[in-house]
Amino acid sequence: MTQFEVSKGGTATATEAAIVAQDVEKWYSNGFHVLKGVSLTVNKGEVVVLMGPSGSGKSTFIRTFNALEPFQKGSIEIDGIPLTPKLKNVDAIRREVGMVFQQFNLFPHLTVFENVSIAPIQVRNMPKAKADEIATQLLERVGILHQAKKYPGQLSGGQQQRVAIARALAMQPKIMLFDEPTSALDPEMVREVLDVMRSLANSGMTMVCVTHEVGFAREVADRIIFLADGLLVEDTTPAEFFNNPKSDRTRKFLSQILH
Amino acid sequence: MGYTFDFSVVWDNIGLFIAGALLTFRISLIAIAFGLILGIIGALFRTSGNRILNAITLAYVEIIRNTPFLIQLFFIFFGLPKLGIRLNAEQAAILSLSINFGAYSTEIVRAGVESIPKGQVEAAMALGFKPLKIFRYIILIPALSNIYTALIGQVILAVLFTSVVSQIATEDLTFAGDFLNSRTFRSFEIYFTVCLFYLAIVWIIKGIGYWVERRFFEFAKYSRR
């Protein structure tokens, strides 16, 4: 069994919610009301893509799921664990949720291999041999094993992002968050990262992705959520979203990104 | 200008110079090691977000950096015994040098910690790291790497500062020079030799610093900034 296989638990658990966010509201410290009551339920095994214009709060929204951003009102439950505005249960939730960032955020002083194995060793207290085994499997899976001894700075952006995905998966999360994972990449590197994300989705991982990759959203997403100005505007299937958008705001957005 | 150079005073007493130099070298290494540990802890406190720890550390840095080292040394060697804390000259020298270097390195290491991009901390938090482990495993090495040049500069100053400890009769290199000078008055030859020894000590410590850089900060040549 590879680390990519996620138990969907058959029909009994297939409809269980992985993420339940209700009326989440957030103000930045400068008073800006970035999330104006957003509700979203993500079921286990679902791939949800968040789209929306910049400043709409998409990144901020998914960053509330693992408590990188505090929020002031509403509630979030991750795999049944409540994440209160007071940031309780943060450790339990971060154990369930992996995250991939726009700027990769690999640790520059650790080799590629150590980047993947350090969290299992230091956070999960896993024996080094076991962590090394997981790191080897994951790097193999994302196609970077032959570069394992290099430092992140020696890799291309696409390679770094694939390592970042492996690093997050090494903690064996139940949910993966992707915050614009291809936005900082040169165009020719986008595909290699999307391919890894696609195979992860096919393995049954619960995924929430903020991305502007229309092809990926059309093909891989179970649902598309459209956020604008801190509000959830649409929650629908990719086919409906791209072919038959309901709101003017969505149509305007699509006319801007589909050229 | 009838002065005749006579370096025989140096050759005849080379054992004194070497013994002094070895003590200077040892005191320097120990004080730098302790001082750096203090500096790392100080930087941790300064960046912890804890007001009390920050205030205590800031007070320490301000007091040490804004008073003369000689007075700090006298305070520890002559002042502390009044409180019942008796240290021999070498212990007092190491303690005062460590505390002094700790204050300077606190501010240097703090600058390094603050140079680490926020995304590094967020990635570690998302992986479930707790704050102390983030500091230890994620921030510390890149932070030290970023300020390494400044730190080495301060290390060299710390080595040169050790000459002051001869004032409490620590038998270091400067003490050896003073001792011989007071008996032979061959000031030129003696202090010239003392300088050469200091130069050698600093070069050796710089060499160790260079080795540390290659051993631990190799990654830095690949990090794009």
Side-chain angles (χ1 to χ4, degrees), chain A residues 88-220:
Chain A
K88 287 179 185 166
N89 302 326
V90 169
D91 295 330
I93 280 165
R94 285 181 180 156
R95 273 196 287 274
E96 310 278 319
V97 181
M99 189 168 213
V100 174
F101 300 84
Q102 183 176 352
Q103 300 295 343
F104 331 133
N105 296 345
L106 292 179
F107 306 130
H109 59 302
L110 302 177
T111 64
V112 163
F113 195 85
E114 290 164 342
N115 262 277
V116 180
S117 66
I118 187 170
I121 295 170
Q122 293 300 336
V123 178
R124 284 217 193 272
N125 297 316
M126 194 181 277
K128 189 174 177 300
K130 174 79 177 139
D132 286 355
E133 193 183 310
I134 289 174
T136 306
Q137 278 178 20
L138 285 169
L139 286 172
E140 172 93 68
R141 181 66 182 77
V142 300
I144 312 279
L145 189 56
H146 60 294
Q147 318 245 43
K149 292 201 170 89
K150 290 189 178 172
Y151 290 105
Q154 295 170 278
L155 269 52
S156 72
Q159 291 170 331
Q160 289 193 50
Q161 195 60 300
R162 285 186 280 154
V163 174
I165 294 172
R167 177 179 69 176
L169 291 173
M171 289 296 284
Q172 298 169 310
K174 294 181 180 162
I175 299 163
M176 283 285 284
L177 308 175
F178 292 83
D179 188 4
E180 304 207 28
T182 57
S183 298
L185 296 176
D186 291 335
E188 73 271 23
M189 315 225 166
V190 169
R191 171 174 289 276
E192 59 190 83
V193 171
L194 292 182
D195 283 346
V196 170
M197 290 171 63
R198 198 173 285 122
S199 87
L200 187 58
N202 290 338
S203 76
M205 175 64 81
T206 307
M207 293 165 62
V208 182
C209 316
V210 173
T211 180
H212 301 297
E213 299 295 339
V214 172
F216 177 83
R218 263 187 208 278
E219 183 199 337
V220 181

Side-chain angles (χ1 to χ4, degrees), chain B residues 71-88 91-93 95-96 99:
Chain B
I71 305 306
Q72 295 164 17
L73 180 70
F74 283 172
F75 178 80
I76 283 172
F77 188 62
F78 299 119
L80 286 188
K82 310 289 179 206
L83 303 179
I85 302 168
R86 262 166 231 291
L87 300 172
N88 67 34
Q91 290 165 339
L95 181 63
S96 54
I99 289 172

Side-chain angles (χ1 to χ4, degrees), chain B residues 186-211:
Chain B
R186 285 277 167 199
S187 308
F188 184 98
E189 294 86 338
I190 288 166
Y191 288 117
F192 183 78
T193 307
V194 166
C195 280
L196 289 184
F197 271 100
Y198 272 112
L199 204 53
I201 291 168
V202 168
W203 277 344
I204 291 168
I205 286 179
K206 271 168 109 168
I208 295 170
Y210 182 64
W211 175 84

Side-chain angles (χ1 to χ4, degrees), chain B residues 9 12 23 37 46 66 80 136 223:
Chain B
V9 61
D12 294 346
L23 187 65
I37 291 168
R46 291 275 278 130
N66 297 314
L80 286 188
R136 164 68 187 83
S223 330

